[in-house]
Amino acid sequence: MTSNLPDPANRLQPAGSTPSIWLHRYAVFVAVCTALLVFAGGLVTSTGAGLSVPDWPLSYGMLMPPMVGNVRFEHGHRMVATTVGMLTIVLAVWLQRREPRAQVRRLGWLALGAVVLQGLLGGLTVLLLLPTPVSVAHASLGQTFFCIVVSLALLTSPGWRRATPRSGGASQLRKLALLLTAVVYVQLIAGALMRHSGAGLAIPDFPLAFGRVVPPFESTEVMVHFAHRVLAACVFVAAVATGIHALRHHRGERRLLAPALLLFYLVLIQIVLGGFAIWTQKAVVPTTLHVLNGALILATSLVLTLRSFRLLQPQAHIRQLEPQLREQVVT
Amino acid sequence: MKFAVRVACVAFLTALVGWGCGGGGGDSSDQGGSSAPASSAGGSSSAGASHAASGATATLMGKVNLAGAAPERNPLKMTADPACAQQHEDMPALAQDVIVNDQGMLKNVFVYVKNGLEGHEFDTPEEPVVLDQKGCVYTPHVIGMMVKQDLKILNSDPTLHNIHALPKVSGNKEFNLGMPRQGMEFSKTFENPEVMIRIKCDVHPWMASYVGVLPHPYYAVSGDDGGFRIADLPAGEYTIEAWHERYGTQAQTITVGDSPNVEVSFTFQSTGS
Ligand code: HEM
Ligand code: HEM
Ligand SMILES: [Cu+2]
């Protein structure tokens, strides 16, 4: 075991110190549960159930209120959130004990901090009667927490540890993927802002806006809504560019090509779901799937970004690696 | 000012023995028909008295009509909460927003004096106004009350409700209370006039009611027959407004003079289904 050796400064981990595969599987499990939690949270907003339980941390003064009407969504969300919170405690402690990389251990604690803060924000939305800034913060931090957990699942994977950085020189994908992730993140916040300021149907038609390409900006709601659509176009362009680039230059690297192509499809689906949110006047299912799929897009582009940084090392960096590692690189 | 009003009231009482200060217009029935919460809510007669020193008071009466085809009242789907559904097993509860009788008369229109009473002060009634949650609907659906008067909220249902008031006027506080048990009650007040404050339940999304809060007691809610009645209105010029949750507001100007009765009617236009 090398787990008690000082952590090497570089991001690469010598083989042989692989912690339990179960830690990785567990991290994946937590990530899946978190995706379900994002869906459950989205359901609360979509059904307008946010204030159906007026108190917090208890629900109607009880741990388990009768699950009737919209209480099913709000208290259900709290139950899933509590479960994910517990799972995150276990994840952080497990990482602390078994994970050799200090950065990854720290990320585990960051996940725990994020989920605790998220729970507090959730309580605050209830006690303050859903003020827009708090709801938007809760929605955005929820997505951020999901990203952290997905990163942990990726970083603990055997594939990540075994990965052999390729001297590509081509760091273009890294830039593209990073840009895409950033644009998607901004888009999620724009979506949350629109959703929680009641601007979801401020433009009632799609793909056109009031029958035009650019709508008349009569109200803040219309502007907020239109910003989400413009950003959607940006996300689409960035996703297409990333996909084409991956097809052209990384056809042989499944670990890069797969997420790049998946992203393209997810973004297409997302735009269709966004359309359905409009056409159905925000029917609960398509609108909530739109929120969930938004989280999946963010997670996928983050995975692509991390992998491109991991796999596509610039030439100079590889030469600096310790000899022991260089051997692996060569194989 | 309030003291002055009271003095005037007492003076008037002595002058007109047998005419009760607190009794007002007498008919205090608030159920169904032409309701007169204005007179039953108390306090109105004292105001009436201060004016009556210089003249008589009149009763404002009228009907609210809905022109055009009334929309169908859809049954409320209460399956999400069995305790609600069970209470309507024989006959489903119907949507509360537009209720029209055979003659096209519109229920639940809030009619009130909008302008013309400026500068007068009125006592806050001791009696609370009651909002009940029964069968997972609010009764009454539309209520009038005075500033600072108690709104007594009851839960008569064997299930939980949250009661969430959404005032918009600053100074009136939004609140959201949980009422998990049958028989629970709460009292709340509103500090400022506001027409109307929406009150809803987030557990049962079909549940909504509206409260009109006024600094005076001259208001009424149209009953099953679309009728309303506002008693003891002193002589003067008034703007009378009628509010309906679906059809908006309408206003008329009236003059109360020597005649003991003043008739006003409102007609809202149906917007189809
Ligand atoms: C701890 C992990 C939690 C996560 C990851 C999480 C995530 C989410 C997400 C993604 C949404 C949907 C936002 C949207 O659709 O725009 C949401 C909504 C909501 N969450 Fe949470 N949540 C958590 C904990 C809590 C807790 C403990 C509460 C406690 C009351 C809570 C209360 C709410 C409420 C009331 C909403 C609806 C907000 C609105 O409609 O404005 N959440 N949550
Ligand atoms: C392609 C990239 C897109 C992404 C990543 C995305 C993401 C999101 C997310 C995450 C939310 C919810 C935020 C939250 O509350 O947590 C949202 C809301 C929304 N999005 Fe998108 N979206 C995209 C494109 C579109 C398009 C093309 C439309 C079509 C008009 C659209 C329509 C909507 C609507 C209407 C809402 C608000 C729903 C509500 O008010 O409840 N989105 N979006
Ligand atoms: Cu209710």
PDB file of all heavy atoms in Angstrom, chain A residues 195-229:
ATOM      1  N   ARG A 195     -37.133  29.741 -14.462  1.00  0.00           N
ATOM      2  CA  ARG A 195     -38.128  28.880 -13.824  1.00  0.00           C
ATOM      3  C   ARG A 195     -38.659  29.484 -12.542  1.00  0.00           C
ATOM      4  O   ARG A 195     -39.848  29.452 -12.262  1.00  0.00           O
ATOM      5  CB  ARG A 195     -37.445  27.542 -13.547  1.00  0.00           C
ATOM      6  CG  ARG A 195     -38.306  26.408 -13.069  1.00  0.00           C
ATOM      7  CD  ARG A 195     -37.527  25.137 -13.365  1.00  0.00           C
ATOM      8  NE  ARG A 195     -37.839  24.007 -12.539  1.00  0.00           N
ATOM      9  CZ  ARG A 195     -38.843  23.163 -12.768  1.00  0.00           C
ATOM     10  NH1 ARG A 195     -39.648  23.370 -13.773  1.00  0.00           N
ATOM     11  NH2 ARG A 195     -39.026  22.123 -11.981  1.00  0.00           N
ATOM     12  N   HIS A 196     -37.741  30.058 -11.752  1.00  0.00           N
ATOM     13  CA  HIS A 196     -38.162  30.533 -10.436  1.00  0.00           C
ATOM     14  C   HIS A 196     -38.598  31.992 -10.435  1.00  0.00           C
ATOM     15  O   HIS A 196     -38.995  32.528  -9.404  1.00  0.00           O
ATOM     16  CB  HIS A 196     -37.069  30.268  -9.409  1.00  0.00           C
ATOM     17  CG  HIS A 196     -36.834  28.802  -9.216  1.00  0.00           C
ATOM     18  ND1 HIS A 196     -37.697  28.009  -8.507  1.00  0.00           N
ATOM     19  CD2 HIS A 196     -35.892  27.974  -9.715  1.00  0.00           C
ATOM     20  CE1 HIS A 196     -37.283  26.755  -8.551  1.00  0.00           C
ATOM     21  NE2 HIS A 196     -36.190  26.707  -9.282  1.00  0.00           N
ATOM     22  N   SER A 197     -38.508  32.638 -11.596  1.00  0.00           N
ATOM     23  CA  SER A 197     -39.083  33.984 -11.666  1.00  0.00           C
ATOM     24  C   SER A 197     -40.374  33.939 -12.467  1.00  0.00           C
ATOM     25  O   SER A 197     -40.908  34.971 -12.872  1.00  0.00           O
ATOM     26  CB  SER A 197     -38.081  34.964 -12.286  1.00  0.00           C
ATOM     27  OG  SER A 197     -37.752  34.561 -13.595  1.00  0.00           O
ATOM     28  N   GLY A 198     -40.851  32.726 -12.719  1.00  0.00           N
ATOM     29  CA  GLY A 198     -42.143  32.597 -13.398  1.00  0.00           C
ATOM     30  C   GLY A 198     -42.114  33.043 -14.847  1.00  0.00           C
ATOM     31  O   GLY A 198     -43.111  33.506 -15.386  1.00  0.00           O
ATOM     32  N   ALA A 199     -40.933  32.895 -15.496  1.00  0.00           N
ATOM     33  CA  ALA A 199     -40.831  33.339 -16.887  1.00  0.00           C
ATOM     34  C   ALA A 199     -40.871  32.159 -17.858  1.00  0.00           C
ATOM     35  O   ALA A 199     -40.629  32.331 -19.048  1.00  0.00           O
ATOM     36  CB  ALA A 199     -39.549  34.144 -17.086  1.00  0.00           C
ATOM     37  N   GLY A 200     -41.185  30.968 -17.333  1.00  0.00           N
ATOM     38  CA  GLY A 200     -41.144  29.756 -18.149  1.00  0.00           C
ATOM     39  C   GLY A 200     -42.018  29.813 -19.388  1.00  0.00           C
ATOM     40  O   GLY A 200     -41.695  29.207 -20.401  1.00  0.00           O
ATOM     41  N   LEU A 201     -43.123  30.545 -19.295  1.00  0.00           N
ATOM     42  CA  LEU A 201     -44.012  30.636 -20.458  1.00  0.00           C
ATOM     43  C   LEU A 201     -44.129  32.078 -20.953  1.00  0.00           C
ATOM     44  O   LEU A 201     -45.076  32.440 -21.636  1.00  0.00           O
ATOM     45  CB  LEU A 201     -45.394  30.066 -20.130  1.00  0.00           C
ATOM     46  CG  LEU A 201     -45.412  28.555 -19.849  1.00  0.00           C
ATOM     47  CD1 LEU A 201     -46.787  28.101 -19.413  1.00  0.00           C
ATOM     48  CD2 LEU A 201     -44.966  27.759 -21.072  1.00  0.00           C
ATOM     49  N   ALA A 202     -43.120  32.889 -20.595  1.00  0.00           N
ATOM     50  CA  ALA A 202     -43.166  34.298 -20.996  1.00  0.00           C
ATOM     51  C   ALA A 202     -43.162  34.426 -22.513  1.00  0.00           C
ATOM     52  O   ALA A 202     -43.699  35.383 -23.068  1.00  0.00           O
ATOM     53  CB  ALA A 202     -41.988  35.065 -20.390  1.00  0.00           C
ATOM     54  N   ILE A 203     -42.534  33.466 -23.184  1.00  0.00           N
ATOM     55  CA  ILE A 203     -42.650  33.377 -24.640  1.00  0.00           C
ATOM     56  C   ILE A 203     -43.453  32.106 -24.904  1.00  0.00           C
ATOM     57  O   ILE A 203     -43.001  31.016 -24.587  1.00  0.00           O
ATOM     58  CB  ILE A 203     -41.265  33.314 -25.312  1.00  0.00           C
ATOM     59  CG1 ILE A 203     -40.472  34.581 -24.979  1.00  0.00           C
ATOM     60  CG2 ILE A 203     -41.419  33.159 -26.824  1.00  0.00           C
ATOM     61  CD1 ILE A 203     -39.060  34.596 -25.544  1.00  0.00           C
ATOM     62  N   PRO A 204     -44.657  32.256 -25.437  1.00  0.00           N
ATOM     63  CA  PRO A 204     -45.571  31.111 -25.457  1.00  0.00           C
ATOM     64  C   PRO A 204     -45.370  30.151 -26.622  1.00  0.00           C
ATOM     65  O   PRO A 204     -45.965  29.074 -26.615  1.00  0.00           O
ATOM     66  CB  PRO A 204     -46.952  31.777 -25.540  1.00  0.00           C
ATOM     67  CG  PRO A 204     -46.696  33.091 -26.192  1.00  0.00           C
ATOM     68  CD  PRO A 204     -45.287  33.498 -25.890  1.00  0.00           C
ATOM     69  N   ASP A 205     -44.567  30.522 -27.607  1.00  0.00           N
ATOM     70  CA  ASP A 205     -44.392  29.630 -28.755  1.00  0.00           C
ATOM     71  C   ASP A 205     -42.936  29.216 -28.914  1.00  0.00           C
ATOM     72  O   ASP A 205     -42.020  29.837 -28.381  1.00  0.00           O
ATOM     73  CB  ASP A 205     -44.921  30.298 -30.030  1.00  0.00           C
ATOM     74  CG  ASP A 205     -44.359  31.709 -30.222  1.00  0.00           C
ATOM     75  OD1 ASP A 205     -43.865  32.276 -29.226  1.00  0.00           O
ATOM     76  OD2 ASP A 205     -44.409  32.227 -31.341  1.00  0.00           O
ATOM     77  N   PHE A 206     -42.731  28.146 -29.664  1.00  0.00           N
ATOM     78  CA  PHE A 206     -41.396  27.620 -29.930  1.00  0.00           C
ATOM     79  C   PHE A 206     -41.491  26.782 -31.200  1.00  0.00           C
ATOM     80  O   PHE A 206     -42.504  26.107 -31.399  1.00  0.00           O
ATOM     81  CB  PHE A 206     -40.923  26.753 -28.750  1.00  0.00           C
ATOM     82  CG  PHE A 206     -39.546  26.183 -28.950  1.00  0.00           C
ATOM     83  CD1 PHE A 206     -38.410  26.963 -28.775  1.00  0.00           C
ATOM     84  CD2 PHE A 206     -39.375  24.854 -29.343  1.00  0.00           C
ATOM     85  CE1 PHE A 206     -37.143  26.435 -28.971  1.00  0.00           C
ATOM     86  CE2 PHE A 206     -38.108  24.330 -29.527  1.00  0.00           C
ATOM     87  CZ  PHE A 206     -36.993  25.124 -29.342  1.00  0.00           C
ATOM     88  N   PRO A 207     -40.554  26.836 -32.118  1.00  0.00           N
ATOM     89  CA  PRO A 207     -39.238  27.485 -32.056  1.00  0.00           C
ATOM     90  C   PRO A 207     -39.246  29.002 -32.236  1.00  0.00           C
ATOM     91  O   PRO A 207     -38.275  29.643 -31.837  1.00  0.00           O
ATOM     92  CB  PRO A 207     -38.470  26.826 -33.208  1.00  0.00           C
ATOM     93  CG  PRO A 207     -39.483  26.209 -34.092  1.00  0.00           C
ATOM     94  CD  PRO A 207     -40.706  25.964 -33.287  1.00  0.00           C
ATOM     95  N   LEU A 208     -40.293  29.568 -32.815  1.00  0.00           N
ATOM     96  CA  LEU A 208     -40.299  31.025 -32.919  1.00  0.00           C
ATOM     97  C   LEU A 208     -40.691  31.640 -31.573  1.00  0.00           C
ATOM     98  O   LEU A 208     -41.131  30.941 -30.668  1.00  0.00           O
ATOM     99  CB  LEU A 208     -41.277  31.466 -34.015  1.00  0.00           C
ATOM    100  CG  LEU A 208     -40.801  31.190 -35.457  1.00  0.00           C
ATOM    101  CD1 LEU A 208     -41.851  31.613 -36.454  1.00  0.00           C
ATOM    102  CD2 LEU A 208     -39.471  31.885 -35.742  1.00  0.00           C
ATOM    103  N   ALA A 209     -40.516  32.943 -31.480  1.00  0.00           N
ATOM    104  CA  ALA A 209     -40.861  33.664 -30.261  1.00  0.00           C
ATOM    105  C   ALA A 209     -41.835  34.759 -30.643  1.00  0.00           C
ATOM    106  O   ALA A 209     -41.449  35.702 -31.335  1.00  0.00           O
ATOM    107  CB  ALA A 209     -39.600  34.246 -29.619  1.00  0.00           C
ATOM    108  N   PHE A 210     -43.090  34.622 -30.234  1.00  0.00           N
ATOM    109  CA  PHE A 210     -44.160  35.513 -30.667  1.00  0.00           C
ATOM    110  C   PHE A 210     -44.202  35.579 -32.188  1.00  0.00           C
ATOM    111  O   PHE A 210     -44.385  36.647 -32.773  1.00  0.00           O
ATOM    112  CB  PHE A 210     -43.984  36.924 -30.080  1.00  0.00           C
ATOM    113  CG  PHE A 210     -44.163  36.974 -28.591  1.00  0.00           C
ATOM    114  CD1 PHE A 210     -43.062  37.033 -27.748  1.00  0.00           C
ATOM    115  CD2 PHE A 210     -45.434  36.942 -28.025  1.00  0.00           C
ATOM    116  CE1 PHE A 210     -43.223  37.072 -26.371  1.00  0.00           C
ATOM    117  CE2 PHE A 210     -45.596  36.988 -26.650  1.00  0.00           C
ATOM    118  CZ  PHE A 210     -44.490  37.042 -25.825  1.00  0.00           C
ATOM    119  N   GLY A 211     -43.974  34.420 -32.810  1.00  0.00           N
ATOM    120  CA  GLY A 211     -44.013  34.361 -34.263  1.00  0.00           C
ATOM    121  C   GLY A 211     -42.839  35.029 -34.954  1.00  0.00           C
ATOM    122  O   GLY A 211     -42.840  35.193 -36.163  1.00  0.00           O
ATOM    123  N   ARG A 212     -41.849  35.424 -34.157  1.00  0.00           N
ATOM    124  CA  ARG A 212     -40.684  36.104 -34.737  1.00  0.00           C
ATOM    125  C   ARG A 212     -39.410  35.418 -34.282  1.00  0.00           C
ATOM    126  O   ARG A 212     -39.419  34.565 -33.401  1.00  0.00           O
ATOM    127  CB  ARG A 212     -40.665  37.567 -34.276  1.00  0.00           C
ATOM    128  CG  ARG A 212     -41.846  38.356 -34.823  1.00  0.00           C
ATOM    129  CD  ARG A 212     -42.184  39.558 -33.995  1.00  0.00           C
ATOM    130  NE  ARG A 212     -41.056  40.457 -33.736  1.00  0.00           N
ATOM    131  CZ  ARG A 212     -41.210  41.672 -33.242  1.00  0.00           C
ATOM    132  NH1 ARG A 212     -42.410  42.129 -32.958  1.00  0.00           N
ATOM    133  NH2 ARG A 212     -40.162  42.430 -33.011  1.00  0.00           N
ATOM    134  N   VAL A 213     -38.306  35.812 -34.919  1.00  0.00           N
ATOM    135  CA  VAL A 213     -37.027  35.240 -34.503  1.00  0.00           C
ATOM    136  C   VAL A 213     -36.567  35.908 -33.205  1.00  0.00           C
ATOM    137  O   VAL A 213     -36.136  35.249 -32.267  1.00  0.00           O
ATOM    138  CB  VAL A 213     -35.973  35.406 -35.616  1.00  0.00           C
ATOM    139  CG1 VAL A 213     -34.623  34.878 -35.149  1.00  0.00           C
ATOM    140  CG2 VAL A 213     -36.424  34.660 -36.873  1.00  0.00           C
ATOM    141  N   VAL A 214     -36.680  37.212 -33.178  1.00  0.00           N
ATOM    142  CA  VAL A 214     -36.354  37.955 -31.956  1.00  0.00           C
ATOM    143  C   VAL A 214     -37.646  38.584 -31.447  1.00  0.00           C
ATOM    144  O   VAL A 214     -38.284  39.351 -32.165  1.00  0.00           O
ATOM    145  CB  VAL A 214     -35.303  39.051 -32.242  1.00  0.00           C
ATOM    146  CG1 VAL A 214     -35.017  39.829 -30.973  1.00  0.00           C
ATOM    147  CG2 VAL A 214     -34.030  38.428 -32.793  1.00  0.00           C
ATOM    148  N   PRO A 215     -38.040  38.245 -30.232  1.00  0.00           N
ATOM    149  CA  PRO A 215     -39.328  38.751 -29.733  1.00  0.00           C
ATOM    150  C   PRO A 215     -39.218  40.211 -29.325  1.00  0.00           C
ATOM    151  O   PRO A 215     -38.121  40.719 -29.117  1.00  0.00           O
ATOM    152  CB  PRO A 215     -39.575  37.877 -28.504  1.00  0.00           C
ATOM    153  CG  PRO A 215     -38.205  37.560 -28.007  1.00  0.00           C
ATOM    154  CD  PRO A 215     -37.329  37.447 -29.224  1.00  0.00           C
ATOM    155  N   PRO A 216     -40.354  40.895 -29.213  1.00  0.00           N
ATOM    156  CA  PRO A 216     -40.327  42.249 -28.648  1.00  0.00           C
ATOM    157  C   PRO A 216     -40.021  42.156 -27.149  1.00  0.00           C
ATOM    158  O   PRO A 216     -40.657  41.390 -26.435  1.00  0.00           O
ATOM    159  CB  PRO A 216     -41.765  42.751 -28.874  1.00  0.00           C
ATOM    160  CG  PRO A 216     -42.593  41.513 -29.016  1.00  0.00           C
ATOM    161  CD  PRO A 216     -41.709  40.433 -29.548  1.00  0.00           C
ATOM    162  N   PHE A 217     -39.045  42.905 -26.698  1.00  0.00           N
ATOM    163  CA  PHE A 217     -38.660  42.817 -25.284  1.00  0.00           C
ATOM    164  C   PHE A 217     -39.520  43.738 -24.439  1.00  0.00           C
ATOM    165  O   PHE A 217     -39.109  44.819 -24.048  1.00  0.00           O
ATOM    166  CB  PHE A 217     -37.174  43.146 -25.119  1.00  0.00           C
ATOM    167  CG  PHE A 217     -36.289  42.122 -25.764  1.00  0.00           C
ATOM    168  CD1 PHE A 217     -35.368  42.493 -26.734  1.00  0.00           C
ATOM    169  CD2 PHE A 217     -36.376  40.790 -25.413  1.00  0.00           C
ATOM    170  CE1 PHE A 217     -34.559  41.542 -27.337  1.00  0.00           C
ATOM    171  CE2 PHE A 217     -35.569  39.833 -26.003  1.00  0.00           C
ATOM    172  CZ  PHE A 217     -34.672  40.214 -26.976  1.00  0.00           C
ATOM    173  N   GLU A 218     -40.732  43.281 -24.148  1.00  0.00           N
ATOM    174  CA  GLU A 218     -41.658  44.141 -23.415  1.00  0.00           C
ATOM    175  C   GLU A 218     -41.503  44.013 -21.917  1.00  0.00           C
ATOM    176  O   GLU A 218     -41.947  44.857 -21.171  1.00  0.00           O
ATOM    177  CB  GLU A 218     -43.107  43.771 -23.755  1.00  0.00           C
ATOM    178  CG  GLU A 218     -43.382  43.777 -25.215  1.00  0.00           C
ATOM    179  CD  GLU A 218     -44.617  43.002 -25.564  1.00  0.00           C
ATOM    180  OE1 GLU A 218     -44.812  41.921 -24.969  1.00  0.00           O
ATOM    181  OE2 GLU A 218     -45.353  43.457 -26.442  1.00  0.00           O
ATOM    182  N   SER A 219     -40.958  42.890 -21.481  1.00  0.00           N
ATOM    183  CA  SER A 219     -40.861  42.690 -20.035  1.00  0.00           C
ATOM    184  C   SER A 219     -39.570  41.961 -19.714  1.00  0.00           C
ATOM    185  O   SER A 219     -38.956  41.345 -20.588  1.00  0.00           O
ATOM    186  CB  SER A 219     -42.047  41.851 -19.553  1.00  0.00           C
ATOM    187  OG  SER A 219     -41.948  40.555 -20.098  1.00  0.00           O
ATOM    188  N   THR A 220     -39.189  42.048 -18.438  1.00  0.00           N
ATOM    189  CA  THR A 220     -38.001  41.334 -17.988  1.00  0.00           C
ATOM    190  C   THR A 220     -38.173  39.845 -18.218  1.00  0.00           C
ATOM    191  O   THR A 220     -37.226  39.152 -18.589  1.00  0.00           O
ATOM    192  CB  THR A 220     -37.789  41.570 -16.471  1.00  0.00           C
ATOM    193  OG1 THR A 220     -38.366  42.807 -16.135  1.00  0.00           O
ATOM    194  CG2 THR A 220     -36.325  41.543 -16.128  1.00  0.00           C
ATOM    195  N   GLU A 221     -39.396  39.352 -18.004  1.00  0.00           N
ATOM    196  CA  GLU A 221     -39.648  37.920 -18.164  1.00  0.00           C
ATOM    197  C   GLU A 221     -39.301  37.459 -19.576  1.00  0.00           C
ATOM    198  O   GLU A 221     -38.672  36.425 -19.765  1.00  0.00           O
ATOM    199  CB  GLU A 221     -41.112  37.585 -17.861  1.00  0.00           C
ATOM    200  CG  GLU A 221     -41.455  37.475 -16.395  1.00  0.00           C
ATOM    201  CD  GLU A 221     -41.702  38.827 -15.761  1.00  0.00           C
ATOM    202  OE1 GLU A 221     -41.770  39.837 -16.520  1.00  0.00           O
ATOM    203  OE2 GLU A 221     -41.806  38.903 -14.519  1.00  0.00           O
ATOM    204  N   VAL A 222     -39.726  38.252 -20.559  1.00  0.00           N
ATOM    205  CA  VAL A 222     -39.442  37.877 -21.948  1.00  0.00           C
ATOM    206  C   VAL A 222     -37.928  37.847 -22.176  1.00  0.00           C
ATOM    207  O   VAL A 222     -37.396  36.945 -22.819  1.00  0.00           O
ATOM    208  CB  VAL A 222     -40.141  38.838 -22.934  1.00  0.00           C
ATOM    209  CG1 VAL A 222     -39.684  38.581 -24.361  1.00  0.00           C
ATOM    210  CG2 VAL A 222     -41.648  38.692 -22.828  1.00  0.00           C
ATOM    211  N   MET A 223     -37.227  38.822 -21.608  1.00  0.00           N
ATOM    212  CA  MET A 223     -35.772  38.872 -21.788  1.00  0.00           C
ATOM    213  C   MET A 223     -35.105  37.670 -21.140  1.00  0.00           C
ATOM    214  O   MET A 223     -34.242  37.028 -21.741  1.00  0.00           O
ATOM    215  CB  MET A 223     -35.220  40.169 -21.214  1.00  0.00           C
ATOM    216  CG  MET A 223     -35.544  41.363 -22.091  1.00  0.00           C
ATOM    217  SD  MET A 223     -34.530  42.765 -21.678  1.00  0.00           S
ATOM    218  CE  MET A 223     -35.619  43.646 -20.613  1.00  0.00           C
ATOM    219  N   VAL A 224     -35.511  37.377 -19.902  1.00  0.00           N
ATOM    220  CA  VAL A 224     -34.931  36.234 -19.199  1.00  0.00           C
ATOM    221  C   VAL A 224     -35.193  34.956 -20.002  1.00  0.00           C
ATOM    222  O   VAL A 224     -34.301  34.129 -20.190  1.00  0.00           O
ATOM    223  CB  VAL A 224     -35.539  36.113 -17.777  1.00  0.00           C
ATOM    224  CG1 VAL A 224     -35.183  34.786 -17.133  1.00  0.00           C
ATOM    225  CG2 VAL A 224     -35.062  37.262 -16.906  1.00  0.00           C
ATOM    226  N   HIS A 225     -36.401  34.831 -20.477  1.00  0.00           N
ATOM    227  CA  HIS A 225     -36.755  33.634 -21.241  1.00  0.00           C
ATOM    228  C   HIS A 225     -35.943  33.550 -22.537  1.00  0.00           C
ATOM    229  O   HIS A 225     -35.400  32.503 -22.886  1.00  0.00           O
ATOM    230  CB  HIS A 225     -38.256  33.630 -21.554  1.00  0.00           C
ATOM    231  CG  HIS A 225     -38.736  32.350 -22.151  1.00  0.00           C
ATOM    232  ND1 HIS A 225     -39.647  31.532 -21.537  1.00  0.00           N
ATOM    233  CD2 HIS A 225     -38.403  31.721 -23.308  1.00  0.00           C
ATOM    234  CE1 HIS A 225     -39.849  30.462 -22.292  1.00  0.00           C
ATOM    235  NE2 HIS A 225     -39.112  30.562 -23.378  1.00  0.00           N
ATOM    236  N   PHE A 226     -35.829  34.701 -23.215  1.00  0.00           N
ATOM    237  CA  PHE A 226     -35.129  34.673 -24.496  1.00  0.00           C
ATOM    238  C   PHE A 226     -33.641  34.381 -24.282  1.00  0.00           C
ATOM    239  O   PHE A 226     -33.008  33.693 -25.100  1.00  0.00           O
ATOM    240  CB  PHE A 226     -35.337  35.990 -25.246  1.00  0.00           C
ATOM    241  CG  PHE A 226     -34.927  35.897 -26.684  1.00  0.00           C
ATOM    242  CD1 PHE A 226     -35.615  35.066 -27.556  1.00  0.00           C
ATOM    243  CD2 PHE A 226     -33.839  36.620 -27.170  1.00  0.00           C
ATOM    244  CE1 PHE A 226     -35.234  34.959 -28.884  1.00  0.00           C
ATOM    245  CE2 PHE A 226     -33.463  36.518 -28.502  1.00  0.00           C
ATOM    246  CZ  PHE A 226     -34.159  35.684 -29.364  1.00  0.00           C
ATOM    247  N   ALA A 227     -33.079  34.876 -23.175  1.00  0.00           N
ATOM    248  CA  ALA A 227     -31.673  34.598 -22.869  1.00  0.00           C
ATOM    249  C   ALA A 227     -31.450  33.089 -22.793  1.00  0.00           C
ATOM    250  O   ALA A 227     -30.434  32.567 -23.281  1.00  0.00           O
ATOM    251  CB  ALA A 227     -31.279  35.262 -21.550  1.00  0.00           C
ATOM    252  N   HIS A 228     -32.419  32.372 -22.211  1.00  0.00           N
ATOM    253  CA  HIS A 228     -32.293  30.912 -22.092  1.00  0.00           C
ATOM    254  C   HIS A 228     -32.266  30.269 -23.479  1.00  0.00           C
ATOM    255  O   HIS A 228     -31.541  29.310 -23.707  1.00  0.00           O
ATOM    256  CB  HIS A 228     -33.460  30.364 -21.261  1.00  0.00           C
ATOM    257  CG  HIS A 228     -33.359  28.905 -20.947  1.00  0.00           C
ATOM    258  ND1 HIS A 228     -32.408  28.385 -20.105  1.00  0.00           N
ATOM    259  CD2 HIS A 228     -34.090  27.844 -21.363  1.00  0.00           C
ATOM    260  CE1 HIS A 228     -32.561  27.081 -20.016  1.00  0.00           C
ATOM    261  NE2 HIS A 228     -33.578  26.707 -20.781  1.00  0.00           N
ATOM    262  N   ARG A 229     -33.026  30.822 -24.402  1.00  0.00           N
ATOM    263  CA  ARG A 229     -33.055  30.249 -25.747  1.00  0.00           C
ATOM    264  C   ARG A 229     -31.777  30.573 -26.513  1.00  0.00           C
ATOM    265  O   ARG A 229     -31.250  29.728 -27.244  1.00  0.00           O
ATOM    266  CB  ARG A 229     -34.274  30.769 -26.508  1.00  0.00           C
ATOM    267  CG  ARG A 229     -35.572  30.274 -25.889  1.00  0.00           C
ATOM    268  CD  ARG A 229     -36.729  30.519 -26.807  1.00  0.00           C
ATOM    269  NE  ARG A 229     -37.985  30.143 -26.163  1.00  0.00           N
ATOM    270  CZ  ARG A 229     -39.150  30.133 -26.797  1.00  0.00           C
ATOM    271  NH1 ARG A 229     -39.216  30.476 -28.065  1.00  0.00           N
ATOM    272  NH2 ARG A 229     -40.238  29.772 -26.158  1.00  0.00           N
TER     273      ARG A 229
END
